Amino acid sequence: MAAFDISHRQLRHSQRLDLDTGLRVPVVQADAESLPFAPASFDLACSAFGALPFVAEPLRVLLEVRRVLRPGGLFVFSVSHPIRWAFPDDPGQRGLTSDRSYFDRTPYEERDDEGTPTYVEHHRTMGDWISLVVASGLTVRGLLEPEWPRGHDRVWGGWSPLRGRHLPGTAIFTCGA
């Protein structure tokens, strides 16, 4: 078992969790496009809203994951559901009306005062994700679009029971090597 992140700060959080739980997960600072692991070294790889939406060339990441998976291994990853991009990030009624094309692949960017990007998230359609998985040599074994949990009434950012009952917020892919 091992974990990695490009952010030193995130790895510090991991160390704190190790101390809090008494468990130790080996971590390494690494770029998802160049994993520092030997070929066929893992049976399972997971990415929960990790590198894939934040890299311009996600195929490079998928090829790296494929490389480090053993034959028969699984890769499970989650991304914001692609349909989200067509709707405003609003928990109210406004968040139920599309205001841009689902097919607009313009990345979402936040910039600092000097105009330097500080956050970039790339939009890909469901078809884009499937094509990328296939191009990497992985196979799609499953796709989960979790429904809003019954009885969950908390508003979180642009999400609410109103919006969550109508639109999936997450897509979870299970892929085999």
Side-chain angles (χ1 to χ4, degrees):
M1 176 178 10
F4 76 90
D5 201 290
I6 197 166
S7 165
H8 177 72
R9 186 172 178 188
Q10 285 299 98
L11 297 177
R12 300 287 300 183
H13 289 299
S14 174
Q15 289 174 336
R16 193 179 73 244
L17 289 171
D18 287 352
L19 292 172
D20 290 348
T21 64
L23 302 172
R24 184 179 180 283
V25 175
V27 297
V28 62
Q29 188 169 6
D31 185 324
E33 294 174 326
S34 181
L35 298 175
F37 305 113
S41 29
F42 295 95
D43 293 314
L44 175 66
C46 300
S47 176
F49 301 98
L52 288 163
F54 305 103
V55 296
E57 300 293 333
L59 180 57
R60 292 172 56 179
V61 175
L62 292 167
L63 288 167
E64 274 295 277
V65 171
R66 174 69 184 93
R67 182 185 66 78
V68 301
L69 281 175
R70 292 184 180 111
L74 290 178
F75 177 44
V76 180
F77 73 93
S78 61
V79 295
S80 295
H81 197 289
I83 197 66
R84 287 180 66 168
W85 290 78
F87 294 84
D89 204 20
D90 184 318
Q93 196 69 33
R94 184 175 157 265
L96 297 178
T97 303
S98 174
D99 65 354
R100 67 198 124 212
S101 172
Y102 170 77
F103 301 103
D104 179 357
R105 291 167 178 84
T106 304
Y108 170 79
E109 293 185 359
E110 293 176 6
R111 296 178 177 267
D112 64 18
D113 293 338
E114 288 78 42
T116 304
T118 57
Y119 180 94
V120 178
E121 187 172 352
H122 298 271
H123 167 58
R124 295 172 180 96
T125 67
M126 245 347 156
D128 293 340
W129 283 118
I130 298 298
S131 295
L132 287 161
V133 167
V134 170
S136 75
L138 295 165
T139 59
V140 176
R141 294 216 181 142
L143 171 61
L144 179 63
E145 300 168 291
E147 293 184 45
W148 189 263
R150 182 172 286 155
H152 182 68
D153 58 359
R154 195 176 100 203
V155 173
W156 180 70
W159 288 92
S160 64
L162 170 69
R163 192 164 180 225
R165 284 192 303 269
H166 292 277
L167 298 170
T170 303
I172 304 170
F173 294 83
T174 301
C175 308

